[in-house]
Each structure stands twice: as C-alpha cells, then as structure tokens.
Amino acid sequence: MEKPPLSLTPLTRIGYGEDAHRLAEGRELWLGGVQIESPRGAIAHSDGDVLLHALSDALLSALALGDIGTLFPDTDPAWKGLSSRVILEATLERVRKHNHRLRQVSAVITLDTPKLGPFRAQVQAHLALLTGLPADRIGLTFKTSEGLAPDHVQCRAMVGLGLAENTQPGQS
Ligand SMILES: Nc1ccn([C@@H]2O[C@H](COP(=O)(O)O)[C@@H](O)[C@H]2O)c(=O)n1
Ligand SMILES: C[C@@]1(CO)OP(=O)(O)OP(=O)(O)OC[C@H]1O
C-alpha cells in the first residue's frame, strides 16, 4: 500500500480509464473496494469493481503500460473471483517502479440504482486507504443513465501522477 508524503510537485502525467459490467440479481456490487448494498451486482470474472478497474487502467495508461486485461487475463482461472484490490496494488507497484506517484483521482460512476450518495464518504475514505491519497484528492461523481442503461454499472476515471520525490533528471 502506498502512503508517500504528498508533495506539491507538478503533475507530470495524466491517465484515463473506463470499465463497465452488466448487472444481475444475486451478484455482489463492489465500488472502490466497498461492498454496496444492492439487489444486483456486477457480472465479472473478478469481483467486478468498475471503480478499481477504471482507476487501475488509468494508472497504467498514464505511463503507457498496457491495461489490466493484459496483467490479469479474464481467461485465466487463477483470477476468478479476484479482489480488485489486488489489481490496484499491482498497478500502483508498477507506477512506483516507474518513479511516479498517484496525486489525484477523478471518477464518474454511472448507475441508475441504488443511490450511491450515501456511500460517497465511505468509498472516498477506502480509496484513500488503498492509494495513500488524502480524501480531498479523490473526486467522485455519481450519475444515473437517465434510464438509458439500467442494467449496467460504469466508471470513467482520470488520474494525475507526479514524479516520485528524489527522482533524478532523466530517471522518469
Ligand atoms: N446511483 C446514483 C446516481 C446518482 N446519484 C446522485 O443523484 C444526483 C443526480 O444524478 P443525475 O444522473 O440525475 O444527474 C447526483 O447528485 C448524484 O450524486 C446517486 O446518489 N446515486
Ligand atoms: C479483472 C478481469 C480479470 O479477472 O476480469 P473482469 O472481472 O471480468 O473485469 P474486466 O474489467 O472486464 O477486465 C479485466 C479482467 O482481466
């Protein structure tokens, strides 16, 4: 788990990621590592946490390191039922190896029901724990699809990265 002191160094990279899963009764709904009380959850090979998947893809994209599907293929039985926290930790580790640190998260989750507003503080706090960011660097927006996509949950996420402290010129 990454808990660096957050310096005010400028952002050097941005990344974007997105993910969507179909909803079905009897499945669990996980967002940002928090289980949301819901009669329907994501159909997925892993726990289907679209927020952690989109965030992890955004991190990899920021450094042009591919995507989570190449790291954790959904054809590999080893990853069945995988906690998406493992995916995030693996991507943060890659970010660290490339001399960068996560500085900012901005994510939009589209879901018609249930209401996510009551979970915002809990999801923010949990993401802060997983990433080492202060909660005020984690922006979460919730949208309905206005009934256009009632059977899926979707997340779009952007990240800002900064250079790790003590990075030498040319090292990034
Ligand atoms: N699953 C959701 C979706 C939305 N919200 C909140 O509802 C408000 C309006 O959403 P619109 O899609 O109609 O623009 C907004 O304040 C969202 O935070 C929610 O809590 N849960
Ligand atoms: C996470 C992985 C692997 O378990 O599978 P899913 O849970 O289906 O999720 P998705 O966002 O479709 O793609 C990444 C996959 O490789």
Side-chain angles (χ1 to χ4, degrees), residues 18-19 21 45-46 52-58 60-61 65-76 79 82 87-88 90-91 94:
E18 61 177 67
D19 191 32
H21 285 281
H45 191 61
S46 67
L52 294 191
H53 293 183
L55 172 56
S56 299
D57 269 339
L60 293 174
S61 178
L65 296 175
D67 59 42
I68 62 170
T70 53
L71 297 181
F72 299 92
D74 62 7
T75 47
D76 188 337
W79 310 128
L82 177 74
I87 298 175
L88 179 63
T91 57
R94 279 168 173 75

Short mmCIF file of all heavy atoms in Angstrom, two decimals, residues 18-19 21 45-46 52-58 60-61 65-76 79 82 87-88 90-91 94:
data_model
loop_
_atom_site.label_atom_id
_atom_site.label_comp_id
_atom_site.label_asym_id
_atom_site.label_seq_id
_atom_site.Cartn_x
_atom_site.Cartn_y
_atom_site.Cartn_z
N GLU A 18 -11.64 3.36 -18.25
CA GLU A 18 -13.06 3.14 -18.02
C GLU A 18 -13.37 1.66 -17.98
O GLU A 18 -12.60 0.83 -18.49
CB GLU A 18 -13.91 3.87 -19.07
CG GLU A 18 -13.71 3.46 -20.49
CD GLU A 18 -14.68 4.22 -21.42
OE1 GLU A 18 -14.54 5.44 -21.54
OE2 GLU A 18 -15.57 3.57 -21.99
N ASP A 19 -14.50 1.35 -17.35
CA ASP A 19 -14.91 -0.05 -17.27
C ASP A 19 -16.43 -0.09 -17.09
O ASP A 19 -17.03 0.86 -16.59
CB ASP A 19 -14.24 -0.74 -16.07
CG ASP A 19 -14.42 -2.25 -16.09
OD1 ASP A 19 -14.50 -2.82 -17.20
OD2 ASP A 19 -14.50 -2.86 -15.02
N HIS A 21 -19.72 -3.15 -16.37
CA HIS A 21 -20.17 -4.53 -16.20
C HIS A 21 -21.69 -4.58 -16.17
O HIS A 21 -22.34 -3.66 -15.65
CB HIS A 21 -19.60 -5.15 -14.92
CG HIS A 21 -18.16 -5.52 -15.03
ND1 HIS A 21 -17.73 -6.67 -15.66
CD2 HIS A 21 -17.04 -4.87 -14.65
CE1 HIS A 21 -16.42 -6.73 -15.63
NE2 HIS A 21 -15.97 -5.63 -15.03
N HIS A 45 -15.50 -11.64 -14.10
CA HIS A 45 -14.58 -12.73 -13.76
C HIS A 45 -14.05 -12.51 -12.34
O HIS A 45 -13.91 -13.43 -11.54
CB HIS A 45 -13.44 -12.73 -14.77
CG HIS A 45 -12.57 -13.94 -14.71
ND1 HIS A 45 -13.04 -15.21 -14.94
CD2 HIS A 45 -11.24 -14.08 -14.45
CE1 HIS A 45 -12.05 -16.08 -14.82
NE2 HIS A 45 -10.95 -15.41 -14.52
N SER A 46 -13.78 -11.23 -12.03
CA SER A 46 -13.32 -10.84 -10.69
C SER A 46 -14.54 -10.39 -9.88
O SER A 46 -15.66 -10.76 -10.19
CB SER A 46 -12.32 -9.68 -10.82
OG SER A 46 -13.00 -8.53 -11.30
N LEU A 52 -12.34 0.39 -9.25
CA LEU A 52 -10.93 -0.02 -9.13
C LEU A 52 -10.36 -0.44 -10.49
O LEU A 52 -9.17 -0.20 -10.76
CB LEU A 52 -10.77 -1.16 -8.12
CG LEU A 52 -11.09 -0.79 -6.66
CD1 LEU A 52 -10.64 -1.90 -5.73
CD2 LEU A 52 -10.46 0.53 -6.24
N HIS A 53 -11.20 -1.00 -11.37
CA HIS A 53 -10.72 -1.37 -12.70
C HIS A 53 -10.39 -0.13 -13.53
O HIS A 53 -9.34 -0.04 -14.17
CB HIS A 53 -11.75 -2.22 -13.45
CG HIS A 53 -11.98 -3.57 -12.84
ND1 HIS A 53 -12.83 -4.51 -13.39
CD2 HIS A 53 -11.44 -4.15 -11.73
CE1 HIS A 53 -12.82 -5.60 -12.64
NE2 HIS A 53 -11.99 -5.40 -11.63
N ALA A 54 -11.32 0.85 -13.53
CA ALA A 54 -11.09 2.07 -14.32
C ALA A 54 -9.88 2.84 -13.78
O ALA A 54 -9.06 3.36 -14.54
CB ALA A 54 -12.34 2.95 -14.30
N LEU A 55 -9.78 2.90 -12.45
CA LEU A 55 -8.65 3.59 -11.82
C LEU A 55 -7.33 2.90 -12.18
O LEU A 55 -6.34 3.57 -12.53
CB LEU A 55 -8.88 3.61 -10.31
CG LEU A 55 -7.75 4.12 -9.42
CD1 LEU A 55 -7.34 5.53 -9.81
CD2 LEU A 55 -8.19 4.08 -7.95
N SER A 56 -7.32 1.58 -12.13
CA SER A 56 -6.09 0.83 -12.44
C SER A 56 -5.71 1.02 -13.91
O SER A 56 -4.53 1.22 -14.23
CB SER A 56 -6.29 -0.66 -12.13
OG SER A 56 -6.56 -0.84 -10.76
N ASP A 57 -6.70 0.98 -14.80
CA ASP A 57 -6.40 1.21 -16.22
C ASP A 57 -5.89 2.64 -16.46
O ASP A 57 -5.01 2.87 -17.29
CB ASP A 57 -7.63 0.93 -17.08
CG ASP A 57 -7.68 -0.52 -17.56
OD1 ASP A 57 -6.63 -1.19 -17.58
OD2 ASP A 57 -8.77 -1.00 -17.92
N ALA A 58 -6.44 3.59 -15.74
CA ALA A 58 -5.98 4.98 -15.88
C ALA A 58 -4.52 5.11 -15.44
O ALA A 58 -3.71 5.79 -16.09
CB ALA A 58 -6.87 5.92 -15.06
N LEU A 60 -2.22 2.70 -15.48
CA LEU A 60 -1.36 2.06 -16.49
C LEU A 60 -1.27 2.93 -17.74
O LEU A 60 -0.19 3.09 -18.32
CB LEU A 60 -1.92 0.68 -16.84
CG LEU A 60 -1.86 -0.36 -15.70
CD1 LEU A 60 -2.59 -1.64 -16.12
CD2 LEU A 60 -0.41 -0.68 -15.31
N SER A 61 -2.40 3.52 -18.12
CA SER A 61 -2.42 4.36 -19.32
C SER A 61 -1.53 5.59 -19.17
O SER A 61 -0.85 6.01 -20.12
CB SER A 61 -3.86 4.78 -19.62
OG SER A 61 -3.91 5.62 -20.73
N LEU A 65 1.56 1.65 -19.97
CA LEU A 65 1.98 0.32 -19.52
C LEU A 65 0.95 -0.76 -19.85
O LEU A 65 0.92 -1.82 -19.21
CB LEU A 65 2.23 0.35 -18.01
CG LEU A 65 3.38 1.24 -17.54
CD1 LEU A 65 3.44 1.28 -16.01
CD2 LEU A 65 4.71 0.77 -18.11
N GLY A 66 0.08 -0.50 -20.82
CA GLY A 66 -0.91 -1.51 -21.21
C GLY A 66 -2.18 -1.38 -20.38
O GLY A 66 -2.54 -0.28 -19.96
N ASP A 67 -2.85 -2.51 -20.13
CA ASP A 67 -4.10 -2.44 -19.38
C ASP A 67 -4.25 -3.65 -18.47
O ASP A 67 -3.46 -4.60 -18.54
CB ASP A 67 -5.30 -2.29 -20.32
CG ASP A 67 -5.43 -3.43 -21.32
OD1 ASP A 67 -5.23 -4.59 -20.92
OD2 ASP A 67 -5.73 -3.15 -22.50
N ILE A 68 -5.28 -3.61 -17.61
CA ILE A 68 -5.40 -4.67 -16.61
C ILE A 68 -5.74 -6.02 -17.23
O ILE A 68 -5.43 -7.05 -16.66
CB ILE A 68 -6.42 -4.32 -15.50
CG1 ILE A 68 -7.83 -4.12 -16.06
CG2 ILE A 68 -5.96 -3.11 -14.71
CD1 ILE A 68 -8.90 -4.00 -14.96
N GLY A 69 -6.36 -5.98 -18.41
CA GLY A 69 -6.68 -7.24 -19.10
C GLY A 69 -5.43 -8.01 -19.49
O GLY A 69 -5.44 -9.24 -19.57
N THR A 70 -4.33 -7.29 -19.76
CA THR A 70 -3.08 -7.99 -20.10
C THR A 70 -2.39 -8.50 -18.85
O THR A 70 -1.72 -9.54 -18.87
CB THR A 70 -2.12 -7.07 -20.90
OG1 THR A 70 -1.92 -5.86 -20.17
CG2 THR A 70 -2.68 -6.74 -22.27
N LEU A 71 -2.55 -7.78 -17.72
CA LEU A 71 -1.94 -8.23 -16.46
C LEU A 71 -2.74 -9.36 -15.82
O LEU A 71 -2.17 -10.27 -15.23
CB LEU A 71 -1.85 -7.07 -15.46
CG LEU A 71 -0.99 -5.88 -15.84
CD1 LEU A 71 -1.00 -4.85 -14.72
CD2 LEU A 71 0.44 -6.32 -16.11
N PHE A 72 -4.06 -9.26 -15.92
CA PHE A 72 -4.96 -10.24 -15.28
C PHE A 72 -5.98 -10.73 -16.31
O PHE A 72 -7.15 -10.33 -16.26
CB PHE A 72 -5.68 -9.59 -14.09
CG PHE A 72 -4.77 -9.10 -13.00
CD1 PHE A 72 -4.31 -7.79 -13.00
CD2 PHE A 72 -4.38 -9.95 -11.98
CE1 PHE A 72 -3.46 -7.33 -11.99
CE2 PHE A 72 -3.53 -9.50 -10.97
CZ PHE A 72 -3.07 -8.19 -10.98
N PRO A 73 -5.57 -11.58 -17.25
CA PRO A 73 -6.50 -12.01 -18.32
C PRO A 73 -7.74 -12.69 -17.75
O PRO A 73 -7.62 -13.52 -16.85
CB PRO A 73 -5.68 -12.99 -19.14
CG PRO A 73 -4.26 -12.82 -18.72
CD PRO A 73 -4.27 -12.22 -17.35
N ASP A 74 -8.91 -12.33 -18.30
CA ASP A 74 -10.13 -12.94 -17.76
C ASP A 74 -10.35 -14.37 -18.26
O ASP A 74 -11.35 -15.01 -17.96
CB ASP A 74 -11.36 -12.06 -18.01
CG ASP A 74 -11.65 -11.86 -19.48
OD1 ASP A 74 -10.99 -12.50 -20.31
OD2 ASP A 74 -12.55 -11.05 -19.78
N THR A 75 -9.36 -14.86 -19.02
CA THR A 75 -9.38 -16.27 -19.46
C THR A 75 -8.61 -17.15 -18.47
O THR A 75 -8.62 -18.37 -18.59
CB THR A 75 -8.72 -16.38 -20.84
OG1 THR A 75 -7.49 -15.64 -20.81
CG2 THR A 75 -9.61 -15.83 -21.93
N ASP A 76 -7.93 -16.51 -17.51
CA ASP A 76 -7.10 -17.26 -16.57
C ASP A 76 -7.90 -17.59 -15.32
O ASP A 76 -8.31 -16.68 -14.58
CB ASP A 76 -5.87 -16.41 -16.20
CG ASP A 76 -4.86 -17.19 -15.38
OD1 ASP A 76 -5.26 -18.19 -14.74
OD2 ASP A 76 -3.68 -16.79 -15.36
N TRP A 79 -7.57 -15.94 -11.80
CA TRP A 79 -8.11 -14.62 -11.43
C TRP A 79 -9.61 -14.65 -11.17
O TRP A 79 -10.22 -13.62 -10.95
CB TRP A 79 -7.77 -13.56 -12.49
CG TRP A 79 -6.34 -13.55 -12.89
CD1 TRP A 79 -5.84 -13.61 -14.15
CD2 TRP A 79 -5.20 -13.47 -12.01
NE1 TRP A 79 -4.47 -13.60 -14.13
CE2 TRP A 79 -4.06 -13.51 -12.82
CE3 TRP A 79 -5.03 -13.38 -10.63
CZ2 TRP A 79 -2.77 -13.45 -12.30
CZ3 TRP A 79 -3.76 -13.34 -10.10
CH2 TRP A 79 -2.64 -13.37 -10.93
N LEU A 82 -11.29 -12.79 -8.20
CA LEU A 82 -10.21 -11.93 -7.70
C LEU A 82 -10.74 -10.65 -7.06
O LEU A 82 -11.63 -9.99 -7.60
CB LEU A 82 -9.32 -11.57 -8.89
CG LEU A 82 -8.14 -10.63 -8.67
CD1 LEU A 82 -7.03 -11.36 -7.93
CD2 LEU A 82 -7.62 -10.12 -10.02
N ILE A 87 -5.58 -5.96 -8.06
CA ILE A 87 -5.28 -5.30 -9.34
C ILE A 87 -4.72 -3.91 -9.09
O ILE A 87 -3.71 -3.50 -9.66
CB ILE A 87 -6.55 -5.23 -10.22
CG1 ILE A 87 -7.05 -6.65 -10.53
CG2 ILE A 87 -6.28 -4.44 -11.50
CD1 ILE A 87 -8.36 -6.68 -11.30
N LEU A 88 -5.40 -3.16 -8.20
CA LEU A 88 -4.93 -1.79 -7.91
C LEU A 88 -3.53 -1.82 -7.30
O LEU A 88 -2.66 -1.02 -7.68
CB LEU A 88 -5.92 -1.08 -6.97
CG LEU A 88 -5.50 0.34 -6.60
CD1 LEU A 88 -5.46 1.25 -7.83
CD2 LEU A 88 -6.44 0.93 -5.55
N ALA A 90 -1.21 -4.01 -7.70
CA ALA A 90 -0.22 -4.37 -8.73
C ALA A 90 0.07 -3.17 -9.65
O ALA A 90 1.22 -2.96 -10.05
CB ALA A 90 -0.74 -5.55 -9.55
N THR A 91 -0.95 -2.38 -9.96
CA THR A 91 -0.72 -1.23 -10.86
C THR A 91 0.03 -0.12 -10.11
O THR A 91 0.93 0.51 -10.67
CB THR A 91 -2.03 -0.69 -11.46
OG1 THR A 91 -2.92 -0.33 -10.42
CG2 THR A 91 -2.70 -1.70 -12.35
N ARG A 94 3.60 -0.88 -10.15
CA ARG A 94 4.23 -0.53 -11.43
C ARG A 94 4.49 0.97 -11.53
O ARG A 94 5.51 1.41 -12.05
CB ARG A 94 3.38 -1.02 -12.60
CG ARG A 94 3.61 -2.48 -12.89
CD ARG A 94 2.58 -3.06 -13.85
NE ARG A 94 2.95 -4.43 -14.21
CZ ARG A 94 2.79 -5.48 -13.40
NH1 ARG A 94 2.30 -5.31 -12.19
NH2 ARG A 94 3.14 -6.70 -13.80
#
